[in-house]
Amino acid sequence: MREPEDSYVRVAVLIMLWLTLFACISATLIHWLGPVHHLMDLIVPPSGAVVFAGLIIALTLRPWCLRAVVRISLLIGASMLIAPAWFYTLQAASTPGARLIDALPPVASLFVILLTMVMLFIPGRRAFMAALLCWLLVALPILTYLAFHPDEMWTPRGMDLLMAYGPVSILVVVLLPMQRGLTDTIKRMASERERMEIMLHRDPVTGIHNRRLGERVLRDLLGGTRPAGLIMLDLDHFKAINDTYGHPVGDLVLQAVAGRCKALLRPDECISRWGGEEFLVLVPGIDAAGLHMVAERLQLAIAQLSVAPAPRVTASFGATMLDGADDFDAALRRVDHALYAAKEQGGNCVVQAGVAPNATV
């Protein structure tokens, strides 16, 4: 219930309500078709069926009322078990010759289900308090009666009631919190693993993806059927920046370039630091003209950066479309040759393999 908007919680509650409705309808038919008819047995199950059918309709039409529906269903379910427990216990205790094990409907298993629902849908310590209250109102009167009527307690039905309202109920209340704690532990471990996975694939200087992830995405694109493009960019004269202003300024330049490029790319486009001052950009679902436009947009954005005290920052770009016959090394060789051609033209330009060069200075 910590995330009541999640669809899986609503589905779980709907399943619970449908099963409860089915149980109420089944109990109604059993009591109507049985040889002995007790007034309470003819009233409680059909009334519960009507209420739970209404809750199903309410939750379907108003999913934001999930908390209220769960609380009402638990309250109604508890009431449907409390009423027969007290009614038949008091009747058996006050009527000579009457036996509780003969009159009490088969609701012991439903009590265990009620405790399970309480422990699942009520958070924290309140679940224990609610479970204890249910046990006091449903199980305690029956167990007290059996304690004072050993002739009924040692019958098969009496032993079944004793086990259901005693050890089985305690096991449910104890084991479900353990299961919840185990689930929370597994979630924390999965979250920690995801965090470690992110750190493993994150470049520590720029904060973007590292070469390991870039290689994985490239292999995925090579194995796919969608058209895709590959861009490799290399900062011009970056060694001079490091030598003149020091590596801290060089790191600032790398961070600024990575941040600007990432901001210009779509969520499905991947930029990774390939090594040193080289970056690799992978663009799925694009044609050659679109790939050239992406590279030019990145080139112009980098040329407009200002990272004091470094002078103007520029980058050379190589680009290529991924061919269906490409393997990993062939694609990298082709884009690397295009990048080398851009460097030969003086840098700050885009050269696309198979397309006439278009320099921008």
Side-chain angles (χ1 to χ4, degrees), residues 74-85:
L74 291 177
L75 182 61
I76 296 300
S79 301
M80 292 175 63
L81 295 179
I82 292 171

Side-chain angles (χ1 to χ4, degrees), residues 112-181:
V112 176
I113 295 175
L114 173 66
L115 289 181
T116 303
M117 295 298 103
V118 167
M119 299 305 296
L120 287 176
F121 289 101
I122 298 181
R125 296 181 178 178
R126 284 183 291 173
F128 288 98
M129 298 302 297
L132 177 61
L133 183 61
C134 289
W135 187 85
L136 291 174
L137 293 176
V138 178
L140 185 59
I142 296 175
L143 294 176
T144 302
Y145 175 90
L146 292 175
F148 285 97
H149 297 79
D151 56 321
E152 294 187 47
M153 182 175 66
W154 298 117
T155 62
R157 177 74 197 287
M159 292 295 294
D160 180 66
L161 293 174
L162 186 65
M163 289 294 296
Y165 290 114
V168 173
S169 300
I170 295 174
L171 282 175
V172 169
V173 175
V174 172
L175 291 179
L176 280 178
M178 292 177 60
Q179 182 270 341
R180 182 183 295 178

Side-chain angles (χ1 to χ4, degrees), residues 72-273:
I72 293 173
S73 63
L74 291 177
L75 182 61
I76 296 300
S79 301
M80 292 175 63
L81 295 179
I82 292 171
W86 282 93
F87 176 81
Y88 288 111
T89 299
L90 293 175
Q91 184 185 61
S94 60
T95 304
R99 299 202 313 169
L100 177 64
I101 59 174
D102 295 331
L104 185 68
V107 293
S109 58
L110 299 180
F111 177 67
V112 176
I113 295 175
L114 173 66
L115 289 181
T116 303
M117 295 298 103
V118 167
M119 299 305 296
L120 287 176
F121 289 101
I122 298 181
R125 296 181 178 178
R126 284 183 291 173
F128 288 98
M129 298 302 297
L132 177 61
L133 183 61
C134 289
W135 187 85
L136 291 174
L137 293 176
V138 178
L140 185 59
I142 296 175
L143 294 176
T144 302
Y145 175 90
L146 292 175
F148 285 97
H149 297 79
D151 56 321
E152 294 187 47
M153 182 175 66
W154 298 117
T155 62
R157 177 74 197 287
M159 292 295 294
D160 180 66
L161 293 174
L162 186 65
M163 289 294 296
Y165 290 114
V168 173
S169 300
I170 295 174
L171 282 175
V172 169
V173 175
V174 172
L175 291 179
L176 280 178
M178 292 177 60
Q179 182 270 341
R180 182 183 295 178
L182 180 61
T183 301
D184 291 341
T185 301
I186 293 174
K187 287 182 179 179
R188 286 195 300 270
M189 292 175 63
S191 178
E192 183 66 18
R193 178 181 178 181
E194 183 178 352
R195 188 180 70 85
M196 295 298 294
E197 187 85 5
I198 291 174
M199 292 178 61
L200 182 65
H201 293 148
R202 189 77 64 189
D203 177 62
V205 176
T206 61
I208 61 173
H209 300 308
N210 60 15
R211 179 165 180 158
R212 181 194 300 267
L213 186 67
E215 289 181 353
R216 181 200 293 183
V217 176
L218 176 56
R219 293 184 190 278
D220 289 343
L221 291 178
L222 288 171
T225 57
R226 295 176 63 193
L230 177 63
I231 299 172
M232 182 174 286
L233 64 106
D234 184 276
L235 300 185
D236 299 325
H237 315 298
F238 183 74
K239 185 177 183 301
I241 294 176
N242 274 337
D243 293 343
T244 305
Y245 303 101
H247 288 280
V249 175
D251 289 346
L252 290 177
V253 171
L254 292 173
Q255 292 166 8
V257 170
R260 179 61 64 88
C261 291
K262 183 177 180 181
L264 293 176
L265 295 173
R266 299 176 305 185
D268 63 335
E269 297 170 347
C270 172
I271 179 171
S272 62
R273 186 181 179 192

